[in-house]
């Protein structure tokens, strides 16, 4: 493995690991706050126990996410000095704002965890809300920086140097709205369905546990709304990509020829050597309409661009298909949940429905990972789109494969620790007699 591939693999591994904790940090506090609010309004003890259980989960994920986030910060400088040399002065602002949001999140989480019966109940509740809002703000600021890599702005690039830097224009670049909106909804969708799936699994073992039932319902409300909204945000994002990065759109669709009235390809295997995509199902004119709002609009194919500027087409295309497939399934399940909640509440605890929710547990995170592959691999060979290639930014230090091996071990260990800690929390809930048909439940 050469050093460029090892550095890219290390960054990919770190992002793939950290993004799960970032999504949870953006969503779990919101679930916690809703449960806390229900406890304050109804006085039901089950919501208090649920709030405390979720808050411990938030603390666990926050601690591990802080470790992986810190590692990512170091990796940016260590692995990509060429990038940081120029980008640091341009896009440093959202990272500094992200740091501020992180500190607010940490302080408010401390207040929430240790504020029980010590501070006013509404101030206590508000501190939990701030944990969620600052977590979302952190995510938005980081995605702003990534959006800049896809839509560089706020500087003039002259003779390999950045001049006339405007950090606000850089941060609020052309891609920041579509990317942050899509990512925020994805985070809520993925985490909410994962939480619902865990509680559905526990309900399959103990159907009478009222805490798991209420937890699953709260999480599914978040997940269903997000999953149904996500296709709209995806459409907005796709139109933005079509406008700014037509080569990425072509790779996402596995489209080699420029066509008017281009079809949307579902599935299929792109072959860069033959410049064809086989086995896909084509919906006539759909890609033109989805990209430009016109059934006969021209969509550029990969053949319009120099081959050395192509991203890895097969990976980008398959990742896009996986993301859309998972999102479609979750949206359908979300619609079914809302229908049951409206008309058939007795079916919410039906075994088959619980099994479906359990099977959905990983789908949101699979979609998130696939979406980031589309974003990052689809931008290659550029680290700053149209400005700097990834190969120009990588560190000249040899031996990057050892770095990759080290981080693989660290993330594996952190995964085991997180799983063990969460399993302990779940075991406590399962063994609580009050939650298994008790009077206050």
């Amino acid at each position: 493995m050469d050093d460029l591939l090892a550095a890219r693999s290390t960054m990919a591994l770190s992002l793939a690991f950290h993004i799960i904790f970032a999504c949870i940090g953006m969503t779990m506090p919101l679930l916690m706050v809703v449960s806390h609010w229900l406890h304050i309004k109804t006085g039901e003890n089950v919501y208090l126990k649920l709030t405390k259980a979720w808050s411990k989960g938030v603390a666990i994920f926050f601690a591990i996410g802080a470790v992986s986030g810190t590692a990512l910060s170091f990796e940016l400088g260590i692995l990509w000095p060429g990038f940081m040399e120029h980008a640091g002065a341009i896009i440093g602002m959202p990272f500094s704002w992200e740091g501020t949001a992180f500190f607010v999140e940490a302080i408010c989480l401390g207040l929430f965890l240790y504020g029980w019966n010590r501070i006013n109940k509404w101030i206590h509740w508000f501190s939990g809300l701030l944990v969620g809002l600052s977590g979302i703000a952190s995510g938005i600021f980081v995605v702003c920086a990534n959006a800049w890599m896809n839509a560089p702005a706020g500087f003039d690039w002259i003779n390999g140097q950045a001049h006339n830097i405007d950090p606000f224009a850089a941060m609020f670049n052309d891609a920041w709205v579509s990317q942050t909106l899509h990512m925020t909804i994805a985070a809520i969708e993925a985490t909410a369905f994962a939480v619902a799936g865990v509680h559905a699994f526990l309900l399959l073992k103990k159907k009478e546990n009222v805490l798991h039932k209420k937890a699953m319902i709260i999480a599914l409300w978040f997940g269903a709304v997000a999953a149904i909204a996500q296709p709209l945000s995806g459409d907005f994002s796709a139109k933005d990509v079509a406008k700014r990065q037509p080569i990425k759109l072509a790779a996402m669709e596995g489209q080699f020829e420029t066509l008017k009235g281009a079809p949307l390809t579902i599935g299929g295997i792109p072959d860069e050597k033959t410049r064809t995509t086989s086995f896909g199902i084509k919906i006539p004119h759909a890609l033109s309409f989805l990209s430009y709002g016109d059934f006969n609009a021209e969509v550029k194919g990969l053949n319009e661009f120099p081959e050395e500027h192509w991203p890895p087409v097969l990976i980008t295309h398959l990742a896009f298909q996986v993301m859309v497939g998972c999102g479609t399934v979750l949206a359908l399940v979300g619609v079914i949940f809302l229908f049951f909640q409206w008309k058939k509440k007795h079916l919410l605890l039906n075994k088959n429905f619980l099994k479906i929710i359990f099977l959905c547990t990983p789908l949101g995170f699979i979609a998130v990972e696939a979406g980031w592959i589309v974003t990052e691999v689809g931008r290659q060979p550029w680290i700053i789109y149209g400005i700097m290639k990834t190969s120009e930014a990588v560190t000249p230090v040899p031996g990057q494969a050892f770095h990759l091996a080290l981080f693989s071990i660290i993330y594996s260990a952190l995964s085991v620790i997180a799983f063990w800690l969460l399993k302990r929390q779940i075991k406590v809930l399962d063994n609580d007699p009050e939650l298994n048909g008790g009077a206050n439940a």
Side-chain angles (χ1 to χ4, degrees):
M1 179 181 286
D2 63 36
D3 287 326
L4 175 59
L5 180 58
R8 287 181 61 189
S9 299
T10 303
M11 202 71 192
L13 175 67
S14 297
L15 279 169
F17 183 83
H18 181 70
I19 200 170
I20 293 174
F21 294 89
C23 287
I24 294 171
M26 293 167 75
T27 307
M28 274 293 288
L30 299 181
L31 302 180
M32 177 184 79
V33 163
V34 169
S35 177
H36 191 195
W37 181 81
L38 288 170
H39 166 65
I40 293 173
K41 297 298 286 184
T42 66
E44 290 186 42
N45 202 36
V46 63
Y47 287 120
L48 176 62
K49 293 198 173 191
L50 177 58
T51 304
K52 289 186 175 180
W54 275 348
S55 68
K56 289 174 183 172
V58 168
I60 292 168
F61 286 115
F62 178 84
I64 296 176
V67 173
S68 58
T70 303
L72 266 174
S73 302
F74 282 112
E75 284 176 0
L76 272 175
I78 293 171
L79 298 179
W80 311 106
F83 171 76
M84 292 306 295
E85 178 186 354
H86 300 287
I90 306 170
I91 201 64
M93 192 168 73
F95 285 120
S96 65
W97 288 14
E98 192 271 340
T100 304
F102 174 78
F103 284 122
V104 171
E105 186 180 2
I107 292 167
C108 290
L109 180 59
L111 276 176
F112 191 82
L113 291 174
Y114 296 102
W116 294 103
N117 303 319
R118 290 187 174 93
I119 56 178
N120 176 278
K121 64 181 180 183
W122 286 111
I123 294 176
H124 187 216
W125 177 83
F126 188 65
S127 68
L129 179 63
L130 283 181
V131 174
L133 295 179
S134 52
I136 290 175
S138 289
I140 288 175
F141 295 145
V142 170
V143 176
C144 278
N146 180 266
W148 176 82
M149 295 163 71
N150 289 311
F155 66 98
D156 294 321
W157 192 249
I158 303 170
N159 297 327
Q161 296 292 327
H163 297 271
N164 304 319
I165 293 170
D166 180 346
F168 283 94
M171 180 170 172
F172 300 109
N173 54 75
D174 289 343
W176 86 275
V177 174
S178 63
Q179 278 199 221
T180 57
L181 180 65
H182 199 51
M183 184 64 230
T184 303
I185 295 175
I188 294 172
E189 178 183 358
T191 306
F193 268 103
V195 171
V198 170
H199 288 287
F201 174 72
L202 296 168
L203 277 171
L204 283 166
K205 294 198 299 180
K206 288 188 177 182
K207 193 174 181 179
E208 69 279 6
N209 190 301
V210 69
L211 181 142
H212 293 318
K213 179 187 173 186
K214 291 183 182 297
M216 185 187 76
I217 299 296
I218 292 172
L220 279 179
W221 268 108
F222 276 84
V225 172
I228 293 168
Q230 188 65 316
L232 299 176
S233 133
D235 178 66
F236 177 48
S237 188
K239 284 182 169 60
D240 188 53
V241 170
K243 180 181 174 184
R244 292 182 299 93
Q245 294 177 294
I247 190 171
K248 180 188 283 186
L249 179 72
M252 287 159 60
E253 284 297 324
Q255 178 172 325
F256 292 89
E257 299 293 335
T258 297
L259 295 171
K260 290 184 178 179
L264 182 73
T265 303
I266 299 175
I269 308 293
D271 186 333
E272 292 185 35
K273 289 183 180 175
T274 61
R275 302 193 174 201
T276 57
T277 297
S278 306
F279 311 116
I281 300 171
K282 295 186 182 299
I283 304 175
H285 300 276
L287 180 59
S288 289
F289 179 74
L290 290 173
S291 302
Y292 298 102
D294 179 351
F295 285 106
N296 294 308
E298 179 179 279
V299 178
K300 288 186 177 179
L302 287 159
N303 291 338
E304 289 283 329
F305 305 93
E307 192 167 347
E308 65 267 25
H309 290 174
W310 290 11
V313 179
L314 179 62
I315 295 174
T316 308
H317 176 73
L318 293 181
F320 180 66
Q321 299 292 317
V322 169
M323 179 188 71
V324 173
C326 291
T328 302
V329 171
L330 293 181
L332 290 173
V333 174
V335 170
I336 293 170
F337 163 72
L338 293 178
F339 176 73
F340 283 179
Q341 186 70 23
W342 178 41
K343 287 286 187 183
K344 305 279 184 184
K345 283 191 177 178
H346 64 283
L347 292 178
L348 290 171
L349 291 181
N350 178 278
K351 265 193 174 181
N352 289 330
F353 183 68
L354 293 176
K355 286 177 182 174
I356 290 172
I357 298 301
F358 168 61
L359 291 174
C360 288
T361 304
L363 293 189
F365 285 117
I366 292 173
V368 167
E369 299 285 6
W372 272 101
I373 290 172
V374 172
T375 301
E376 295 302 300
V377 176
R379 192 186 57 244
Q380 299 305 316
W382 305 100
I383 192 168
I384 306 173
Y385 185 65
I387 300 290
M388 178 185 288
K389 290 188 174 179
T390 307
S391 57
E392 298 168 344
V394 72
T395 176
V397 177
Q400 292 305 314
F402 294 105
H403 194 183
L404 173 60
L406 175 63
F407 273 83
S408 298
I409 294 169
I410 291 172
Y411 291 138
S412 298
L414 287 175
S415 300
V416 171
I417 292 169
F419 180 79
W420 177 70
L421 290 172
L422 291 174
K423 192 176 176 183
R424 283 185 60 192
Q425 294 302 318
I426 291 171
K427 195 173 179 181
V428 170
L429 293 176
D430 267 356
N431 293 332
D432 188 333
E434 183 184 333
L435 300 175
N436 294 293
N440 291 328

